[in-house]
Amino acid sequence: AVLMGLGLLGGEAVTIPLTVLVLACIAGAQVVYGVTPALHSPLMSVTNAISGMTAVGGLVCMGGGLLPVTPAQWLGAAAVLVSMVNIGGGFVMTNRMLGMFQKKDAPKAPLSASLRLALPALVLLAGYAAATACGAASQVVGMMLAGSAVCCLLAIGGLATQETAAFGNAVGLAGVTGGLVATLGSAGVSSAVYTQMAATMGIGGAFGMAVANKIAVTDLPQLVAGFHSLVGAAAVATAVASFIVEGGVGGLHRVASYAAAVIGAIILTGCIVAFAKLQGRINNSPLAFPLKRTANTLLAFGLLACYLALTVAPGLAGLSLLLLGSATAGVLGILVAADAGGDGDVLVVITVLNSASGWALCAQGFVLSNSLLTIVAALTASSAAILFKIMCVAMNKSIISTLGILAPPPSPKSLSGCGCIGGRHSSRRRCGAWILAFYLGAVWLLIQSLEVGAWKNREWNSGVRPAGRNTMGMACSTDGKLYVFGGYSTQGFSNELHVFDLASQYWLHLSGSIAGTPPETGVTGTPPAASLGMGMAFSADGKLYVFGGGVFHERLDDLHVFDPADMVWTDLRGSIGGMPPEGRRLMGMAASADGKLYVYGGRDSQEGVLGDFHVFDPASKTWSDLTDSISGTSPEPKWGVGMAASADGKLYMFGGEGKNGVLGDFHAFDPASKTWSDLTDSISGTSPEPKWGVGMAASAD
């Protein structure tokens, strides 16, 4: 019933990843129960290393140039760095643990055996390299990720016996490597960003391997805790970065980001405390202080309050609540880990946090719609949870008592050194009340501050709303209607045309099919092909023009026009003069006050960055290349720019990504004088930070 309810509420966006999660949990549980008890420590180590797949989320958020530029890009780079420390050190640490089971006089493994261990990684990478050489890398990314997930599953199964444990460790490394390579191959970033990614991954991996090789064998348990804290740090950094990049929009994205950040913060601080206990840096006894249960309850309610406030906070305004929830979860992680007493309980807490990392990784998988992360998360979460249960049974303790949940309050004797006199609890109650009031007041003030200049959700009365999508075309007509065309959704590339009437708040599906559902109107003519990243603008004659776009490595150079009055699409190819721009996507496009359409930059079929400038005259149906016939300071070649025409007749362009990273420049073009002006350093106020994929529009004033 719960699963069906989630399906009704979330649709395919929830059903598909949830199905993958459930099946992976079942598979993970089956292989974990087959692991020999003597190999439970290596099992915990290898799942910890696999959970370093949080690097995938960090890679998605990286950008800029040789160095990150925006806060989100810095957070993404930090997530990759610490994740790679965990991956590199985790597999080396697992290998050292397995070496403890070998006899000292055992012969060294022959070279052929080592090659057999490397065979899974070689086969996986060789297959992807061959597909890349044939130009089919984008078609095999899904299978590459599936192969990586299978390798991670086999890694846990390989630890069932001592004879296959080394192979299991090698297969796990192959799975993680394959997932990272597939993510890099589909990133589609500039060479400078690829260099940044490679350097970050190399530094993190090398550092982790060096630490794991240097540490004493007796200190491996605390090293597991130390490395695992990095998984939590990566989860928090990726969640915050993703929230910033996506603008804090999307209900599912918000829930998953909050879950990843909260769980990651608990893992981060909890593992640090566990490391300090095992290392002897702090007292290994359970933490006892007045109102401990009250403090835990307040923190739990605080997390709930932050979440509820986040669900209604508009856009990026919810970032403060996300950070507050992460900080609250960090304090809760400290209290949970500090409540463990003795090395046995501490190891159990580490196992619980290891399981929690799986759910943090699962949240990332939901955020990024990445099945590999969801599967790896399920394996990590289920294996650690089962191991936790086995450890509790072996210690003859319940799960609740091991974690100190609902533990009885400390006795008066235990409070003798904490400044509280037995029997006098009124002051403590007042203190708890003040803490609760202060916390709820802080949350209330945050919510109130979000109302100033806040975005408001635009509701609709009825109609067929477009499915969620990205890189579509969007333009607003002079009669107050918003047109949306194409883009990429969970159903693939689209050529649907939708219109939203801002006055009646009604969506209308004009043309193109939605999963087989025909449009509501009788639009005729030849619409553009399904694609993403097209240019779209209304000219002075009230007609909608759509140019270019892309599907995989194909770039379109077609120009279509839609007449809202006659409800007709017209393909203008073959009926226009001049030389049209070469095929491209993610360019800037805008219509000037004199009715002409201007196109700047974009990315070609080889993912090269363009810097040419073209104009189309609807009256004469002619293209003209302005690149070499204009004066002034032209913008550098770039894509993902924001471009709009203002009431003064000029075109304004901001941001985008060039050959050396994300830009924050601001230019103006005067069609009358055919002159570019660089306004970046001549305007006052606080300029937007550099960004690409910019949305830009001009108001009536």
Side-chain angles (χ1 to χ4, degrees):
V2 172
L3 294 177
M4 287 188 287
L6 289 173
L8 289 173
L9 291 174
E12 288 187 356
V14 174
T15 303
I16 294 176
L18 194 60
T19 301
V20 174
L21 173 65
V22 171
L23 293 177
C25 282
I26 295 173
Q30 294 300 314
V31 295
V32 170
Y33 273 120
V35 176
T36 304
L39 294 175
H40 281 170
S41 293
L43 171 64
M44 183 166 60
S45 177
V46 80
T47 54
N48 175 46
I50 291 174
S51 64
M53 289 294 283
T54 45
V56 170
L59 287 172
V60 173
C61 296
M62 290 182 69
L66 291 175
L67 290 174
V69 177
T70 67
Q73 292 167 358
W74 279 105
L75 287 171
V80 172
L81 181 67
V82 297
S83 295
M84 290 305 301
V85 172
N86 183 66
I87 291 172
F91 284 110
V92 169
M93 182 168 53
T94 304
N95 190 57
R96 291 189 64 189
M97 286 183 174
L98 295 175
M100 296 170 60
F101 295 98
Q102 296 179 354
K103 296 180 180 179
K104 292 184 178 180
D105 55 350
K108 235 182 175 181
L111 181 61
S112 59
S114 300
L115 290 176
R116 282 199 301 272
L117 294 179
L119 189 60
L122 294 176
V123 171
L124 198 63
L125 297 179
Y128 186 71
T132 302
C134 297
S138 59
Q139 286 92 322
V140 299
V141 168
M143 290 298 99
M144 182 73 169
L145 295 176
S148 300
V150 171
C151 285
C152 292
L153 178 62
L154 293 176
I156 298 176
L159 290 171
T161 64
Q162 296 182 12
E163 289 75 17
T164 60
F167 180 76
N169 191 40
V171 170
L173 179 58
V176 173
T177 303
L180 295 177
V181 170
T183 304
L184 288 171
S186 59
V189 295
S190 63
S191 58
V193 178
Y194 272 125
T195 303
Q196 178 197 149
M197 289 176 171
T200 304
M201 294 171 66
I203 293 172
F207 180 78
M209 294 171 66
V211 171
N213 274 315
K214 185 177 180 180
I215 203 78
V217 175
T218 54
D219 292 337
L220 289 180
Q222 46 263 54
L223 186 61
V224 173
F227 278 158
H228 205 60
S229 67
L230 301 179
V231 175
V236 175
T238 302
V240 175
S242 178
F243 192 91
I244 296 173
V245 170
E246 296 295 330
V249 299
L252 178 61
H253 187 278
R254 285 189 164 219
V255 173
S257 295
Y258 187 76
V262 166
I263 298 173
I266 293 175
I267 295 168
L268 171 62
T269 57
C271 283
I272 291 175
V273 171
F275 171 83
K277 280 179 172 282
L278 291 174
Q279 195 70 12
R281 299 295 179 86
I282 62 176
N283 195 330
N284 207 2
S285 301
L287 178 66
F289 64 93
L291 297 174
K292 181 172 68 173
R293 189 189 303 175
T294 303
N296 289 336
T297 304
L298 287 175
L299 291 171
F301 274 109
L303 291 176
L304 179 60
C306 286
Y307 168 72
L308 294 176
L310 182 66
T311 58
V312 298
L316 278 176
L319 182 61
S320 299
L321 292 165
L322 182 66
L323 296 176
L324 179 61
S326 301
T328 304
V331 177
L332 186 60
I334 293 174
L335 295 181
V336 170
D339 202 56
D343 289 352
D345 282 358
V346 174
L347 290 175
V348 172
V349 168
I350 294 174
T351 308
V352 173
L353 295 174
N354 195 5
S355 179
S357 71
W359 301 118
L361 197 61
C362 176
Q364 280 194 26
F366 274 60
V367 169
L368 303 173
S369 299
N370 190 306
S371 296
L372 173 62
L373 291 184
T374 306
I375 294 173
V376 170
L379 296 177
T380 303
S382 60
S383 61
I386 293 171
L387 182 57
F388 168 52
K389 177 186 175 184
I390 293 173
M391 294 173 72
C392 288
V393 171
M395 296 167 60
N396 196 27
K397 297 179 69 174
S398 68
I399 295 175
I400 292 178
S401 63
T402 303
L403 294 179
I405 302 173
L406 299 179
S411 63
K413 181 178 179 180
S414 66
L415 299 177
S416 59
C418 66
C420 298
I421 301 174
R424 298 183 180 179
H425 302 293
S426 59
S427 60
R428 297 204 299 270
R429 291 195 185 97
R430 287 196 299 269
C431 179
W434 277 109
I435 293 173
L436 178 61
F438 174 79
Y439 194 91
L440 294 178
V443 172
W444 181 84
L445 287 174
L446 274 172
I447 296 173
Q448 294 302 312
S449 66
L450 300 177
E451 295 298 323
V452 181
W455 286 89
K456 301 297 183 184
N457 287 331
R458 171 65 72 176
E459 302 293 342
W460 60 93
N461 290 332
S462 57
V464 180
R465 181 181 59 156
R469 64 194 62 206
N470 59 43
T471 48
M472 62 282 186
M474 182 178 288
C476 193
S477 62
T478 55
D479 59 354
K481 294 179 180 178
L482 183 66
Y483 288 77
V484 177
F485 176 81
Y488 186 82
S489 69
T490 56
Q491 300 164 0
F493 295 97
S494 167
N495 71 337
E496 306 157 14
L497 178 64
H498 297 259
V499 60
F500 181 70
D501 190 324
L502 298 174
S504 63
Q505 300 181 16
Y506 186 92
W507 277 108
L508 187 63
H509 176 203
L510 295 179
S511 67
S513 63
I514 307 175
T517 303
E520 301 173 83
T521 60
V523 172
T524 60
T526 305
S531 64
L532 58 78
M534 69 289 297
M536 188 164 158
F538 270 96
S539 67
D541 58 5
K543 296 180 180 179
L544 177 65
Y545 288 81
V546 178
F547 170 75
V551 179
F552 296 116
H553 292 290
E554 180 185 2
R555 298 292 178 266
L556 307 177
D557 63 353
D558 54 336
L559 180 65
H560 289 71
V561 59
F562 175 74
D563 188 340
D566 298 332
M567 304 292 277
V568 176
W569 276 109
T570 303
D571 185 351
L572 297 180
R573 287 177 295 184
S575 62
I576 53 179
M579 180 63 68
E582 67 174 289
R584 66 192 64 202
R585 66 183 178 96
L586 299 171
M587 58 282 190
M589 182 170 173
S592 62
D594 59 1
K596 295 181 180 180
L597 304 172
Y598 291 82
V599 174
Y600 180 86
R603 302 192 77 163
D604 61 19
S605 59
Q606 303 300 317
E607 294 298 336
V609 182
L610 302 172
D612 50 347
F613 192 38
H614 299 259
V615 61
F616 177 76
D617 187 348
S620 62
K621 294 185 178 181
T622 305
W623 279 107
S624 301
D625 187 349
L626 303 179
T627 308
D628 300 323
S629 61
I630 51 180
S631 59
T633 305
S634 300
E636 66 176 272
K638 54 185 173 178
W639 59 279
V641 301
M643 188 169 173
S646 69
D648 61 3
K650 295 181 180 179
L651 299 175
Y652 291 86
M653 188 164 63
F654 174 80
E657 182 167 357
K659 296 180 180 179
N660 296 316
V662 181
L663 304 170
D665 55 337
F666 189 45
H667 288 74
F669 176 74
D670 188 346
S673 61
K674 294 186 178 181
T675 304
W676 277 110
S677 301
D678 187 349
L679 306 179
T680 308
D681 300 323
S682 61
I683 52 180
S684 59
T686 304
S687 301
E689 63 181 70
K691 60 188 70 180
W692 65 269
V694 180
M696 190 167 176
S699 62
D701 56 358

